[in-house]
């Protein structure tokens, strides 16, 4: 079973991965205001059912129960046109920087990272939405 991105109508598509529903909803709301079609998921298992090529952007929480966000990075690197990444976590900045280094070593483009809690304007700045 794959995730439904069929309603994207040629809009940019984003996958939001966070185990905290309130955070995922907040990020999805901001992305939708910036004209993204958004697919939010709260479990890493759902990520393995998606085709990374379906997304232009992935907003990824690094600390989740089960499989953490860093372990998911290779899934997004294994495609001809990998999506851009925005990493987020409540961990210290060093953890986010380390994850960014790992992602870039896999050939992924990281637009930046967000340390929780963050404001909508912080996310908008990373995606280029005024």
């Amino acid at each position: 079973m794959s995730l439904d991105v069929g309603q994207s109508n040629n809009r940019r598509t984003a996958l939001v991965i966070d185990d905290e529903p309130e955070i995922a909803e907040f990020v999805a709301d901001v992305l939708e205001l910036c004209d993204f079609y958004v697919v939010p998921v709260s479990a890493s298992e759902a990520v393995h059912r998606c085709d990374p090529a379906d997304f232009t952007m992935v907003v990824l929480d690094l600390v989740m129960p089960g499989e953490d966000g860093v372990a998911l990075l290779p899934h997004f690197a294994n495609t001809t046109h990998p999506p851009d990444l925005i990493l987020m976590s409540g961990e210290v900045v060093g953890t986010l920087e380390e994850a960014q280094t790992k992602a870039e070593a896999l050939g992924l483009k990281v637009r930046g990272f967000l340390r929780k809690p963050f404001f909508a304007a912080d996310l908008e700045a990373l995606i280029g939405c005024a």
Side-chain angles (χ1 to χ4, degrees):
M1 180 175 140
S2 64
L3 298 176
D4 180 23
V5 294
Q7 300 175 24
S8 65
N9 296 325
N10 296 324
R11 289 173 24 191
R12 296 177 294 175
T13 55
L15 179 64
V16 176
I17 308 160
D18 198 305
D19 61 311
E20 298 178 67
E22 300 83 18
I23 300 288
E25 184 178 326
F26 171 71
V27 170
D29 288 347
V30 173
L31 290 168
E32 286 171 352
L33 288 171
C34 294
D35 204 33
F36 276 85
Y37 175 78
V38 181
V39 176
V41 297
S42 60
S44 61
E45 299 84 37
V47 175
H48 295 289
R49 294 191 308 259
C50 76
D51 182 352
D54 286 342
F55 300 96
T56 56
M57 174 84 57
V58 173
V59 182
L60 175 63
D61 184 20
L62 295 179
V63 180
M64 297 182 290
E67 190 173 24
D68 68 16
V70 175
L72 294 173
L73 293 174
H75 177 71
F76 299 108
N78 293 329
T79 185
T80 307
H81 301 288
D84 290 356
L85 292 179
I86 295 175
L87 306 173
M88 60 182 172
S89 179
E91 297 294 314
V92 296
V93 171
T95 301
L96 288 156
E97 291 171 336
E98 189 175 309
Q100 180 173 350
T101 300
K102 288 180 182 181
E104 290 171 345
L106 290 168
L108 294 166
K109 178 184 175 188
V110 179
R111 288 192 175 207
F113 54 79
L114 299 165
R115 188 160 184 282
K116 295 177 183 178
F118 55 87
F119 296 101
D122 300 327
L123 177 56
E124 290 169 346
L126 290 177
I127 60 175
C129 174

